[in-house]
């Protein structure tokens, strides 16, 4: 739990006749982190392998399926592998690709037409046409089609050539769609109507054409008002959108499942590019968790009949071993915070578990309000359903919000309220308290609590400093263990013990000398402060060890220990800032409630807006400050990082 999984270095060597079987087995087991082979010199015996022949076919269909998933907005996070044969998937995917492309083109076409009508740019679109009537042609028996069409000029001309030789066609482009003018003999009206209907022809109103052009031909369509053409375009757009939604509903499962299947097949068919290879053999290097090594060996021997060589051995000191976390389910969300920073190296203690213990405490201590905690909890529970990709972050905040609710009960704070009205207090049986303001005495009914932040600021500061002392001391203990494992007990003593035995002196400075820590916490810490001669002796010994272990750098950083501990005062400051803002909001709203109906409405708005802003700050500020205390103060006492993530072949 506080160290990554034990890993073994694995090598697989064998004839190429077994390579596909080995790849399928490795992918199915999903436990081997493959190290990509690189050719180090021209005379290297091993070259980089080549993908299987079927890879191109997989890639071609996969690109089409991913294009459809992206363009149609299909979610594929719940996909299951499509077990259908590749040929069936390929045939259906090609058909769907053509159909979806046509639907999307039609949607874009009607979207642009609607935009042109909305911006009153019809005449501007018509002006792009180089419209003319050829000499020697009797246009009195011709019909004209002028408008927008979902086809290009070349396609239309080819289709008209096959239909008749008696036509004049000109086209142009406006906003990416085709504006066309076709003059054709009247007896072809039925065929041309059908052709243009297939191309989503949208005619332009006759009065607009007459205002722009003089033509002897007759309109092929009966026209009505221009705004009706706009309505027709919007209606057509809505229809095509509905067809797209029906298309998605019918085919999204197939596309998502097929994408997963082809992605898996593509990864397997491309995997030889990661292996070392000769003409007749292959060589795979990687890492496997020790707990999975026996099953790996047995599976490979079973499918190859023992014809491949499998070598498993412990990592060397210089190996950059990938990190596979080994956490209980409740700790896993805090792995996201390590991804934000850097992963631990293989031989270091993994700090994720300690973040699980302390991050929610720091966050909850700063937010510390039952009402705010419940709102934050509800917010992240809702986000958990809509943002599955961020589940680790969201789960971490859910845990932190639960701790905020607990601290809110300890502090007796509910949306900043620490007391109730006399009537409600008497009804709930709350014991009243007297507050003396000079010569005046105020009777209040405080919400039951263990500790009041607003009336115990010095104690709150002392608690924050106590968190810092404990947190940093744990950091030095972890650092001691890390150095001991890496370099031996001597180095561990020289590098970390010196800092650890400085703590009694630091506690003395913070309690008796500076008076930063007071009250019962100072009394509690006083048992850790030895008599002055012993404390001075410990400080001198600590300084000597620091100088020997870290040299001048350690001496320069010595004052930073005090500043690191004092940095934890932000736990108090951020919490009080949030409480103070909540009190101001409540007081302002309370005054507004006394000003009639308008005052009540204004007061409600102030409460909603003010507490919304405070909750937003109450999420962001505790989050950032909690991270800072871990990354800057805590991690620097033991953590080097630089690890790389274990990513198994077959991982999805």
């Amino acid at each position: 739990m506080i160290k990554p999984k034990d890993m073994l270095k694995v090598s697989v060597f064998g004839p190429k006749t077994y390579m596909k079987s080995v790849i399928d087995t490795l992918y199915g087991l999903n436990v081997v982190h493959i190290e990509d082979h690189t050719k180090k010199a021209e005379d290297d015996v091993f070259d980089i392998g080549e993908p299987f022949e079927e890879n191109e076919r997989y890639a071609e269909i996969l690109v089409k399926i991913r294009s459809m998933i992206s363009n149609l907005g299909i979610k594929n996070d719940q996909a299951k592998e499509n077990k259908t044969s590749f040929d069936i998937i390929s045939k259906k995917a090609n058909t769907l690709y053509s159909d979806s492309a046509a639907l999307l083109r039609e949607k874009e076409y009607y979207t642009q037409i609607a935009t042109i009508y909305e911006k009153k740019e019809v005449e501007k679109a018509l002006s792009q046409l180089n419209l003319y009537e050829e000499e020697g042609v009797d246009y009195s028996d011709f019909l004209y089609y002028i408008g927008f069409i979902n086809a290009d000029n070349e396609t239309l001309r080819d289709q008209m050539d096959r239909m008749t030789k008696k036509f004049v066609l000109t086209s142009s482009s406006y906003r990416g769609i085709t504006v066309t003018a076709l003059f054709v003999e009247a007896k072809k009206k039925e065929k041309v109507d059908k052709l243009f209907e297939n191309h989503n022809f949208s005619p332009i109103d006759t009065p607009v054409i007459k205002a722009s052009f003089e033509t002897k031909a007759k309109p092929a369509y009966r026209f009505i008002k221009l705004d009706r053409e706009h309505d027709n375009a919007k209606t057509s757009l809505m229809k095509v959108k509905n067809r797209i939604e029906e298309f998605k509903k019918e085919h999204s499962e197939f596309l998502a499942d097929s994408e997963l299947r082809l992605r898996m097949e593509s990864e397997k068919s491309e995997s030889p590019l990661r292996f070392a290879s000769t003409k007749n053999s292959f060589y795979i290097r990687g890492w496997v968790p020790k707990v999975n090594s026996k099953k790996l060996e047995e599976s490979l021997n079973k499918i190859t009949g023992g014809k491949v060589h499998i070598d498993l051995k412990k990592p060397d000191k210089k190996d950059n071993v990938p990190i596979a976390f080994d956490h209980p389910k409740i700790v896993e969300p805090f792995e996201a915070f390590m991804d934000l920073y850097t992963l631990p190296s293989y031989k270091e203690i993994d700090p994720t578990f300690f973040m699980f213990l302390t991050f929610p405490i720091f966050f909850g201590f700063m937010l510390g309000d039952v009402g705010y905690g419940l709102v934050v909890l509800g917010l992240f529970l809702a986000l958990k359903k809509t943002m599955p990709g961020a589940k680790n972050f969201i789960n971490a905040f859910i845990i932190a919000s639960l701790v905020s609710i607990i601290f809110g009960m300890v502090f007796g704070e509910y949306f900043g309220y620490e007391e109730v009205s006399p009537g409600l207090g008497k009804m709930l049986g709350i014991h009243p308290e007297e507050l003396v303001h000079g010569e005046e005495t105020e009777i209040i009914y405080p919400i039951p609590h263990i500790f009041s932040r607003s009336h115990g600021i010095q104690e709150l500061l002392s608690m924050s400093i106590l968190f810092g002392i404990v947190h940093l001391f744990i950091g030095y203990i972890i650092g001691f263990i890390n150095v001991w494992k890496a370099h031996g007990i001597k180095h561990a003593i020289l590098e970390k013990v010196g800092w650890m035995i400085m703590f009694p002196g630091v506690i003395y400075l913070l309690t008796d000398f500076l008076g930063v820590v007071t009250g019962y916490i100072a009394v509690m810490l006083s048992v850790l402060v030895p008599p002055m001669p012993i404390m001075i002796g410990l400080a001198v010994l600590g300084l000597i060890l620091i100088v020997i272990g870290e040299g001048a750098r350690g001496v320069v950083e010595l004052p930073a220990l005090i500043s690191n501990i004092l940095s934890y005062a932000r736990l108090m400051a951020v919490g009080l800032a949030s409480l103070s803002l909540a009190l101001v909001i409540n007081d302002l709203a309370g005054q507004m409630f006394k000003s009639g109906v308008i005052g009540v409405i204004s007061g409600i708005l102030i409460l909603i807006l003010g507490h919304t802003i405070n909750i937003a700050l109450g999420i962001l500020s505790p989050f950032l400050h909690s991270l800072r205390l871990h990354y800057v103060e805590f991690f620097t006492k033991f953590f080097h990082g630089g690890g790389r993530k274990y990513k198994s072949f077959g991982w999805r």
Side-chain angles (χ1 to χ4, degrees):
M1 185 164 60
I2 62 172
K3 64 186 291 292
K5 289 182 180 179
D6 290 331
M7 305 291 286
L8 292 177
K9 192 186 296 185
V10 59
S11 300
V12 181
F13 179 77
K16 278 190 173 178
T17 51
Y18 290 102
M19 187 160 67
K20 274 194 176 182
S21 300
V22 169
I23 288 171
D24 286 338
T25 302
L26 293 180
Y27 199 90
L29 289 173
N30 188 25
V31 295
V32 176
H33 176 105
I34 294 175
E35 294 285 7
D36 294 346
H37 173 70
T38 54
K39 192 172 182 179
K40 297 179 181 177
E42 287 298 324
D43 58 350
D44 195 338
V45 175
F46 289 103
D47 205 342
I48 297 172
E50 296 181 354
F52 297 129
E53 291 180 3
E54 59 267 29
N55 182 58
E56 282 190 28
R57 292 192 300 144
Y58 292 146
E60 180 186 354
I61 302 302
L62 186 58
V63 167
K64 290 183 178 180
I65 289 176
R66 284 177 173 171
S67 173
M68 286 186 278
I69 287 173
S70 175
N71 291 332
L72 296 171
I74 294 172
K75 293 182 179 180
N76 59 346
D77 52 314
Q78 301 295 324
K80 299 176 182 178
E81 183 186 354
N82 189 337
K83 300 292 186 180
T84 312
S85 72
F86 172 74
D87 289 338
I88 294 175
I89 292 175
S90 175
K91 185 177 180 180
K92 186 173 180 179
N94 280 320
T95 302
L96 294 180
Y97 184 74
S98 299
D99 294 345
S100 66
L103 283 170
L104 292 170
R105 280 197 305 270
E106 195 174 338
K107 176 188 173 186
E108 178 62 20
Y109 169 73
Y110 284 120
T111 300
Q112 290 289 30
I113 292 176
T115 301
I116 290 169
Y117 280 118
E118 284 168 5
K119 295 188 175 182
K120 304 186 184 304
E121 295 179 356
V122 177
E123 292 187 31
K124 193 174 179 181
L126 277 176
S127 68
Q128 305 296 309
L129 283 173
N130 183 21
L131 189 63
Y132 65 94
E133 294 183 353
E134 293 184 1
E135 293 183 7
V137 177
D138 182 9
Y139 283 91
S140 61
D141 194 36
F142 271 42
L143 299 176
Y144 69 78
Y145 297 77
I146 299 178
F148 304 105
I149 195 163
N150 192 14
D152 58 61
N153 188 58
E154 306 279 328
T155 303
L156 278 177
R157 190 171 293 280
D158 288 344
Q159 291 173 338
M160 289 304 302
D161 271 333
R162 290 194 292 270
M163 188 184 301
T164 180
K165 299 301 178 184
K166 293 183 179 182
F167 73 93
V168 177
L169 176 67
T170 182
S171 298
S172 185
S173 178
Y174 185 76
R175 286 186 172 271
I177 63 172
T178 302
V179 189
T180 192
L182 171 68
F183 296 90
V184 65
E185 55 183 337
K187 65 181 181 180
K188 298 293 183 181
K189 183 179 188 310
E190 188 176 336
K191 290 185 177 180
V192 177
D193 282 353
K194 187 174 182 181
L195 172 65
F196 272 44
E197 184 182 347
N198 291 337
H199 289 307
N200 310 120
F201 179 65
S202 179
I204 294 175
D205 192 354
T206 303
V208 179
I209 295 171
K210 286 183 176 179
S212 304
F213 309 108
E214 291 184 8
T215 176
K216 298 172 185 175
K218 301 172 184 176
Y221 282 81
R222 293 181 64 186
F223 291 91
I224 45 182
K225 292 182 180 180
L226 189 63
D227 56 358
R228 182 61 182 272
E229 297 303 323
H230 183 199
D231 291 341
N232 288 342
K234 290 195 293 185
T235 301
S236 298
L237 177 60
M238 186 57 64
K239 286 180 179 178
V240 74
K241 284 182 177 179
N242 290 336
R243 282 159 55 205
I244 289 172
E245 287 302 315
E246 289 172 6
F247 184 93
K248 279 175 60 176
K249 188 176 181 180
E250 183 178 354
H251 303 295
S252 59
E253 185 177 348
F254 167 80
L255 291 172
D257 294 352
S258 297
E259 192 276 338
L260 176 59
R261 163 74 182 282
L262 292 182
R263 176 167 23 118
M264 294 166 64
E265 295 298 336
S266 181
E267 286 172 4
K268 289 189 281 187
S269 63
E270 287 179 351
S271 61
L273 290 168
R274 308 178 66 186
F275 307 158
S277 177
T278 66
K279 185 178 179 180
N280 298 310
S281 63
F282 69 93
Y283 176 56
I284 303 173
R285 294 182 306 109
W287 300 91
V288 60
K290 187 176 180 180
V291 68
N292 302 118
S293 59
K294 187 175 181 181
K295 185 177 181 180
L296 170 67
E297 193 170 14
E298 290 174 350
S299 298
L300 290 179
N301 282 327
K302 183 178 180 180
I303 59 105
T304 64
K307 299 293 177 61
V308 297
H309 175 71
I310 305 157
D311 182 46
L312 295 162
K313 59 183 180 180
K314 292 182 179 180
D316 300 326
K317 282 188 176 182
K318 294 181 180 180
D319 285 329
N320 186 9
V321 185
I323 303 304
F325 288 125
D326 187 19
H327 299 136
K329 199 79 174 173
I330 194 171
V331 180
E332 285 180 4
F334 296 87
E335 294 173 5
F337 297 141
M338 298 309 303
D339 290 335
L340 280 179
Y341 192 67
T342 181
L343 298 183
S345 63
Y346 180 64
K347 294 182 179 179
E348 280 187 300
I349 288 178
D350 172 14
T352 310
F353 176 72
F354 298 97
M355 287 204 76
F356 156 71
L357 293 177
T358 53
F359 178 89
I361 292 175
F362 293 167
F363 185 97
F365 188 80
M366 284 185 274
L367 189 58
D369 186 290
V370 174
Y372 287 176
L374 287 171
V375 171
V376 174
L377 177 62
L379 171 65
F380 284 103
L381 285 173
L383 288 176
K384 190 174 181 179
K385 296 180 180 179
T386 57
M387 299 174 63
K391 68 174 184 178
N392 272 355
F393 272 113
I394 291 171
N395 286 336
F397 273 108
I398 288 173
I399 294 171
S401 62
L402 290 172
V403 178
S404 300
I405 294 170
I406 294 170
F407 271 110
M409 293 177 178
V410 171
F411 298 146
E413 295 176 22
Y414 297 76
F415 290 106
Y417 288 103
E418 298 179 288
E419 57 192 62
V420 297
S421 63
L424 183 60
K426 291 175 182 177
M427 185 176 71
L428 296 175
I430 296 174
H431 183 71
E433 292 182 3
E434 292 185 354
L435 286 183
V436 179
H437 305 286
E439 296 181 357
E440 297 181 1
T441 301
E442 180 185 4
I443 305 297
I444 64 168
Y445 290 81
I447 296 173
H449 60 274
I450 297 173
F451 176 82
S452 172
R453 285 200 288 187
S454 60
H455 299 100
I457 296 176
Q458 186 58 48
E459 289 83 355
L460 197 67
L461 174 61
S462 299
M463 280 188 236
S464 302
I465 299 301
L466 176 62
F467 283 144
I469 292 171
V470 174
H471 203 218
L472 295 188
F473 194 77
I474 291 172
Y476 281 117
I477 293 174
I478 299 170
F480 177 85
I481 297 170
N482 281 341
V483 176
W484 186 0
K485 288 168 61 180
H487 305 292
I489 188 67
K490 178 182 175 182
H491 284 278
I493 292 172
L494 291 175
E495 289 188 29
K496 300 300 175 184
V497 171
W499 292 99
M500 293 163 69
I501 62 177
M502 296 294 287
F503 269 75
V506 169
I507 292 171
Y508 169 76
L509 289 175
L510 293 171
T511 53
D512 294 349
F513 188 76
L514 297 175
V516 176
V517 179
T518 59
Y520 64 90
I521 292 177
V523 174
M524 180 179 68
L525 289 174
S526 65
V527 300
L528 301 175
V529 180
M532 187 61 70
I534 296 176
M535 187 175 65
I536 293 173
L538 287 174
V540 171
L541 177 59
L543 183 60
I544 293 170
L545 291 174
I546 290 170
V547 170
I548 295 173
E550 300 187 31
R553 183 174 65 89
V555 177
V556 171
E557 291 183 0
L558 192 56
L561 180 58
I562 295 289
S563 65
N564 285 163
I565 292 174
L566 291 176
S567 184
Y568 284 77
R570 71 187 64 237
L571 296 174
M572 170 209 65
V574 173
L576 283 179
S578 177
L579 173 60
S580 299
L581 182 55
L583 291 173
V584 169
I585 293 166
N586 294 339
D587 287 344
L588 184 58
Q591 293 175 22
M592 298 296 290
F593 287 150
K594 301 174 184 177
S595 307
V597 176
I598 295 177
V600 170
I601 295 172
S602 300
I604 292 172
L605 291 175
I606 288 171
L607 285 176
I608 294 172
L609 181 61
H611 284 303
T612 299
I613 293 172
N614 203 18
I615 289 170
L617 293 173
I619 294 172
L620 182 62
S621 193
F623 168 67
L624 293 177
H625 285 291
S626 296
L627 280 188
R628 187 197 184 282
L629 290 174
H630 285 87
Y631 291 166
V632 179
E633 273 74 28
F634 184 55
F635 281 8
T636 53
K637 305 301 176 283
F638 66 93
F639 188 65
H640 294 286
R644 59 193 180 112
K645 198 159 193 173
Y646 163 82
K647 192 173 181 180
S648 58
F649 181 57
W651 174 82
R652 296 193 294 276

